[in-house]
Amino acid sequence: MLDRDRALALHRMMLLIRGFEQKASALYRDGRLPGFIHLSIGQEACAAGACAALEPGDWITSTHRGHGHCLAKGADPARMMAELFARVDGYSKGRGGSMHIADVAQGVLGANGIVGQSVPLAVGAAYSAQVRGERSVALAFFGEGASSAGAVHEAMNMAALWRLPVVFFCEANGYAELTPYEVHVPIESVATRAAAYGFPGQLVDGNDVTQVYAAVHHAAARARAGEGPSLIEARTLRWHGHYEGDPQSYKKAADKPGSNLADPIAIFGEKLRDFGIDAATDAEARAWATAEIERAIAFAEASPEPALSAILEDVYAGEAA
């Protein structure tokens, strides 16, 4: 399903996401970023593959681990980095931080710090598209930690009843915060829950960007044709802890840093020559990603810090009784 140009775009995007997250980790370690950040290193194929299979007019909703999703759907890395630096040129003017990045113009309805809330938000967007007669599809990223939330089940049930154009994309990265998958999910695959709602469920290798792309491409086409929702579970692994600074003492030995972890970029890298992408083009892609990240950091550092008076901006309240 991939030609050379799309394969190269996927490779470039995974490199950009990996580089952005690695630099954010280093900046946080050095005390240059305030607040908390939750990184998606190791999950690049999920974000890149899923968003590449969507159209520009489609929507995504994200999670607290959403940098990769936002980048893959077209958000500006410079404005994202400025938000991480808490500067005025960030997406939330420096006041929302890592978990509140949104770019409606690019179809990014927002990262979300409330576990599971990406799913009902995407269902709302899908319902809006259906009512207005548009061909847009909404895709909800969520983790297996959110898969048992009541709001998630309610939203999936509603989407099934109304045959809404929505794709539920579960990034099963092995751990819900500090809890292993098998401790809180009583079945082997979240995807099998789709049968209870009457729509398709599929388990894919979330470290293989070609599998992710193909699954989402098919699910989105199905949704656009009026056939309703689908559930995709992509098995992957977050290389870092739940948050930066997490000692990861709860992880299995095979999942800890230093182990032979599956690398989505390396896995796809072995296939690049099949698409006519040579070593020189690969090097150019890596240089481009590095330059984009350096540009983002320079933009963020040049952006002013918010004035104290900004705390009263964009705050709305009803009239006093």
Side-chain angles (χ1 to χ4, degrees):
M1 297 179 65
L2 297 175
D3 58 18
R4 181 184 184 278
D5 289 345
R6 194 173 292 274
L8 180 57
L10 284 170
H11 183 52
R12 283 161 58 99
M13 181 53 64
M14 286 196 290
L15 291 171
L16 179 63
I17 295 169
R18 172 73 59 83
F20 186 96
E21 298 288 65
Q22 288 178 328
K23 183 60 72 171
S25 176
L27 291 167
Y28 187 82
R29 179 199 61 209
D30 294 343
R32 294 170 64 186
L33 299 184
F36 262 18
I37 55 173
H38 304 78
L39 303 183
S40 61
I41 298 172
Q43 300 178 204
E44 295 84 1
C46 292
C51 290
L54 300 176
E55 296 183 358
D58 292 337
W59 307 96
I60 67 166
T61 58
S62 185
T63 68
H64 60 281
R65 200 177 307 282
H67 300 161
H69 308 150
C70 297
L71 288 168
K73 194 61 174 68
D76 180 2
R79 292 189 65 193
M80 287 179 57
M81 191 65 76
E83 190 59 39
L84 267 60
F85 270 85
R87 303 299 176 89
V88 296
D89 292 311
Y91 270 110
S92 297
K93 302 180 183 178
R95 295 171 296 181
S98 171
M99 292 189 285
H100 299 95
I101 293 172
D103 189 339
V104 176
Q106 296 295 333
V108 181
L109 294 181
N112 199 309
I114 304 174
V115 174
Q117 294 308 302
S118 59
V119 176
L121 289 173
V123 168
Y127 179 59
S128 173
Q130 185 185 76
V131 168
R132 291 184 292 179
E134 298 174 349
R135 67 188 308 273
S136 301
V137 169
L139 182 143
F141 288 103
F142 65 104
E144 77 271 28
S147 66
S148 298
V152 171
H153 290 293
E154 292 170 9
M156 289 185 179
N157 187 67
M158 181 181 292
L161 282 170
W162 296 346
R163 300 176 70 84
L164 297 180
V166 59
V167 178
F168 301 114
F169 191 93
C170 179
E171 288 178 301
N173 64 18
Y175 297 88
E177 294 189 345
L178 320 181
T179 307
Y181 182 100
E182 62 272 12
V183 173
H184 67 96
V185 178
I187 50 178
E188 290 188 5
S189 172
V190 170
T192 60
R193 289 178 171 170
Y197 305 110
F199 54 73
Q202 181 180 4
L203 176 64
V204 300
D205 182 355
N207 298 317
D208 185 339
V209 72
T210 62
Q211 285 195 34
V212 173
Y213 175 85
V216 174
H217 187 276
H218 175 75
R222 182 178 177 278
R224 243 182 277 282
E227 297 177 20
S230 303
L231 171 59
I232 298 167
E233 179 186 1
R235 288 285 177 88
T236 183
L237 185 70
R238 56 172 164 86
W239 291 9
H240 284 208
H242 171 58
Y243 56 89
E244 287 303 283
D246 176 1
Q248 305 187 67
S249 57
Y250 53 87
K251 275 193 173 183
K252 304 168 190 172
D255 296 341
K256 289 185 177 181
S259 302
N260 187 26
L261 300 176
D263 184 346
I265 295 175
I267 290 170
F268 192 54
E270 295 177 356
K271 304 176 182 179
L272 292 181
R273 289 193 178 277
D274 296 340
F275 295 102
I277 300 170
D278 59 18
T281 306
D282 175 28
E284 290 173 3
R286 293 175 184 275
W288 168 83
T290 299
E292 278 292 286
I293 294 158
E294 293 304 318
R295 176 185 72 86
I297 294 171
F299 176 85
E301 290 183 321
S303 179
E305 294 185 357
L308 183 60
S309 60
I311 198 169
L312 299 177
E313 296 176 2
D314 305 317
V315 178
Y316 302 94
E319 294 183 8

